[in-house]
Amino acid sequence: MRIPTSFDNYRIVQLSDIHDSEFGEDNSKLVNKVKQLSPNAIFITGDFIDGNRYDLEQSLKIIRQLQAVAPFFYVTGNHEISTNDVEFIKGKLDELGVHVLTNESIIIGDEVKIAIGGIDDPLSSSLAEEQYVEEALEKAFEDVPEDMFKMLLSHRPYELDSYVTKRIDLVFSGHAHGGQIRIPGIGALIAPGQGWFPEYTSGIHEKSGTHLVISRGLGNSIIPIRVFNQPEIVVVTLKSLSTE
């Protein structure tokens, strides 16, 4: 990966699949942990809320308490889309200064810059999922120079081939909940969009120069339990190998 020297030690905290869960009163445990990590950016990779027990105000408390810690970057998951209230959700996040990425990129940095892009969840479109992701990526990075370091927030991890084709350097995803139930020595049991014994549920995956970081997520939705699969906050620290 071509990480500029000016972004060496740039720390990203990823929060995914919160699903309106609560960790301590007013999410104090989660908020305090993020503060301790001292991030340069906080990425929310979808399912910030839960379509089955929609409580936006509860989840917004996380944003309000962390506004001064680092800038937020956000993309939708399938649960935001399923509420049919997605524009209201985006509006509330925007009011709090969150960078809501809807098939678009933001370029950050001073002399040397990098791009942070994000695409809406495919549930927002009537297109076939793969076609939607390809078109959304094209739109998101259409004004980004080919040689610029690119990061992407995209809820669904199993579209890795599309991320590779677009030559994204680093992708952050969630959605799979770590496979919900993990069997020691075997791995994840089941995940949406991937079925039984899914491949893309957690950790870091690499293909043709694209690195995919998958969060196991923090909350639960339809299935209320996890087995051998703890909720997680993901922390990624960029390291530049350049001698410039």
Side-chain angles (χ1 to χ4, degrees), residues 159-179:
E159 293 292 345
L160 179 55
D161 286 342
S162 295
Y163 310 145
V164 170
T165 299
K166 192 58 185 173
R167 298 180 64 187
I168 308 299
D169 295 287
L170 183 57
V171 184
F172 292 82
S173 292
H175 189 52
H177 291 209

Side-chain angles (χ1 to χ4, degrees), residues 6 9 25 76 165 192 220 230:
S6 55
N9 290 320
E25 186 176 355
T76 56
T165 299
N220 299 311
Q230 291 295 311

Side-chain angles (χ1 to χ4, degrees), residues 16-17 45-47 75-79 119 121-122 153-157 163 172-176:
S16 195
D17 299 270
T45 48
D47 288 358
V75 292
T76 56
N78 51 296
H79 273 258
I119 62 173
D121 187 78
L153 284 68
S154 178
H155 186 58
R156 305 196 186 205
Y163 310 145
F172 292 82
S173 292
H175 189 52

Side-chain angles (χ1 to χ4, degrees), residues 35-183:
K35 286 181 177 178
Q36 290 170 12
L37 292 168
S38 299
N40 297 101
I42 302 170
F43 290 178
I44 299 180
T45 48
D47 288 358
F48 181 59
I49 55 86
D50 191 278
N52 301 307
R53 53 175 186 275
Y54 181 31
D55 189 352
L56 177 61
E57 186 56 36
Q58 176 168 291
S59 292
L60 288 176
K61 291 176 183 178
I62 299 170
I63 307 295
R64 292 191 177 100
Q65 294 177 83
L66 292 172
Q67 278 178 298
V69 173
F72 276 92
F73 297 83
Y74 161 88
V75 292
T76 56
N78 51 296
H79 273 258
E80 283 92 343
I81 306 300
S82 70
T83 65
N84 294 317
D85 203 24
V86 67
E87 294 307 317
F88 179 77
I89 294 169
K90 288 181 178 181
K92 285 295 184 181
L93 290 168
D94 184 69
E95 287 175 9
L96 292 173
V98 175
H99 298 292
V100 177
L101 300 172
T102 303
N103 304 339
E104 60 189 313
S105 294
I106 292 175
I107 295 176
I108 64 171
D110 297 320
E111 293 184 9
V112 180
K113 304 179 187 300
I114 65 175
I116 302 174
I119 62 173
D120 258 343
D121 187 78
L123 191 61
S124 64
S125 171
S126 60
L127 295 174
E129 185 170 319
E130 184 176 349
Q131 180 184 353
Y132 168 78
V133 170
E134 290 175 356
E135 293 184 8
L137 288 172
E138 187 64 33
K139 181 179 179 182
F141 292 97
E142 61 183 347
D143 296 323
V144 176
E146 187 68 27
D147 61 348
M148 183 176 288
F149 183 80
K150 303 176 186 68
M151 294 193 289
L152 172 70
L153 284 68
S154 178
H155 186 58
R156 305 196 186 205
Y158 49 83
E159 293 292 345
L160 179 55
D161 286 342
S162 295
Y163 310 145
V164 170
T165 299
K166 192 58 185 173
R167 298 180 64 187
I168 308 299
D169 295 287
L170 183 57
V171 184
F172 292 82
S173 292
H175 189 52
H177 291 209
Q180 204 71 48
I181 296 170
R182 301 188 70 84
I183 302 171

